[in-house]
């Protein structure tokens, strides 16, 4: 075990290789916003619909899924307020751990894994993930939240992660499988994300990326959320 540990590359080297494989930090820095469109399939339910994601530096995001049998499901963060809105649960503001989690996930540069955002970063071992040989990394954020990430030894690309996510039903283990990397502009993005969160499974497939054209108005809070804030 000690011999294997000695041969493992440091976590920051694994991450640096991933960033280079993506297209490099400089190329990513030239992206100030992105609009992704695609499909979402809710595994085992027969439900599927359209997906649209708007994101902008430094930490704004709105995710909209339109499921015909359910309606629109929206979540967002405008740099200050985290919120969700759907027909089943109505409008809600994120608080506590859910808000902290949304703040972390909305960081436009989170994919770069800046060391200042983490308490520790460690390469644990080599392991199989989604049928690929990977470096397994254990990352602990400044907030204390932990995530295990898997980087393919052959390509250097991030192919998955396992972590705990807060939800209306309490904390749940979330497993993400990333695949089908494609280049948009000068940067590679995963265009298929398979996610399992507790009993819920979904697959998100991205069909288009539009870079550097998202207006600030895309992140304006919905009227129902503004009404909650006024209360």
């Amino acid at each position: 075990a000690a011999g294997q540990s000695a041969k493992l590359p440091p976590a920051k080297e694994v991450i640096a290789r991933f960033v280079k494989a993506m297209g490099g930090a400089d190329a990513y820095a030239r992206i100030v916003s992105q609009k992704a469109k695609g499909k979402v399939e809710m595994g085992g339910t027969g439900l599927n619909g359209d997906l649209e994601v708007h994101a902008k530096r430094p930490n704004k995001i709105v995710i909209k899924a339109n499921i015909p049998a359910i309606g629109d499901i929206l979540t967002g963060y405008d740099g200050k307020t985290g919120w969700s809105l759907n027909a089943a649960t109505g409008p809600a503001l994120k608080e506590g751990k859910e808000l902290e989690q949304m703040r972390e996930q909305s960081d436009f540069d989170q994919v770069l894994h800046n060391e200042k955002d983490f308490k520790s970063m460690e390469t644990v071992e080599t392991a199989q993930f989604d049928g690929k040989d990977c470096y397994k990394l254990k990352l602990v954020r400044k907030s204390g939240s932990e995530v295990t990430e898997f980087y393919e030894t052959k390509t250097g690309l991030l192919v998955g992660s396992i972590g705990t996510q807060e939800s209306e039903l309490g904390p749940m283990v979330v497993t993400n499988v990333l695949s089908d990397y494609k280049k948009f502009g000068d940067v590679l993005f995963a265009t298929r994300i398979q996610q399992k969160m507790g009993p819920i499974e979904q697959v998100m497939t991205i069909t288009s990326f539009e870079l550097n054209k998202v207006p600030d108005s895309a992140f304006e809070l919905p009227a129902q959320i503004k009404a909650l804030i006024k209360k």
Side-chain angles (χ1 to χ4, degrees):
Q4 183 190 29
S5 177
K7 296 176 184 177
L8 294 173
K12 66 178 182 180
E13 287 186 12
V14 175
I15 291 168
R17 184 184 176 215
F18 164 57
V19 172
K20 183 178 180 181
M22 277 176 51
D26 290 344
Y28 191 75
R30 291 193 289 272
I31 301 174
V32 296
S33 70
Q34 57 190 43
K35 176 183 178 181
K37 297 180 74 174
K39 299 289 184 180
V40 59
E41 300 173 42
M42 313 295 284
T45 66
L47 299 174
N48 57 73
D50 295 324
L51 177 70
E52 192 168 287
V53 181
H54 292 85
K56 192 167 189 176
R57 291 184 184 278
N59 56 355
K60 294 181 179 181
I61 193 167
V62 172
I63 302 169
K64 176 183 177 181
N66 177 264
I67 311 295
I70 299 174
D72 289 341
I73 302 172
L74 296 100
T75 58
Y77 183 76
D78 68 350
K80 180 180 178 181
T81 301
W83 56 273
S84 63
L85 177 63
N86 68 69
T89 62
L93 296 174
K94 302 296 184 181
E95 298 177 339
K97 289 184 178 180
E98 277 195 278
L99 180 60
E100 176 64 30
Q101 173 183 278
M102 185 164 279
R103 187 179 296 118
E104 291 175 347
Q105 294 174 347
S106 301
D107 179 5
F108 198 87
D109 285 334
Q110 65 167 314
V111 69
L112 302 179
H113 295 69
N114 194 313
E115 285 186 78
K116 70 178 178 59
D117 296 327
F118 295 87
K119 286 183 180 178
S120 63
M121 310 170 81
E122 177 189 5
T123 307
V124 180
E125 61 181 352
T126 56
Q128 282 268 314
F129 185 87
D130 193 36
K132 301 178 179 70
D133 292 326
C134 297
Y135 291 119
K136 179 180 176 181
L137 272 58
K138 178 183 177 183
L139 309 175
V140 182
R141 297 189 180 93
K142 287 286 179 68
S143 65
S145 64
E146 296 184 11
V147 62
T148 301
E149 294 185 340
F150 298 86
Y151 293 81
E152 189 178 7
T153 56
K154 182 179 179 180
T155 64
L157 294 173
L158 175 65
V159 294
S161 65
I162 301 173
T164 301
Q165 185 165 314
E166 298 296 326
S167 73
E168 288 88 350
L169 303 175
M172 290 186 176
V173 174
V174 178
T175 301
N176 291 304
V177 180
L178 284 64
S179 61
D180 295 355
Y181 276 85
K182 295 179 182 177
K183 182 173 280 190
F184 295 90
D186 297 319
V187 178
L188 285 176
F189 293 91
T191 62
R192 187 178 191 273
I193 302 97
Q194 183 179 353
Q195 184 180 80
K196 183 176 181 181
M197 180 176 177
I200 302 169
E201 291 189 44
Q202 61 181 4
V203 176
M204 293 162 281
T205 305
I206 304 302
T207 54
S208 70
F209 264 101
E210 189 175 64
L211 305 178
N212 299 333
K213 294 183 179 180
V214 181
D216 286 333
S217 58
F219 307 97
E220 184 173 346
L221 298 176
Q224 300 97 314
I225 300 299
K226 290 180 179 179
L228 280 184
I229 293 173
K230 286 182 179 180
K231 291 181 181 180

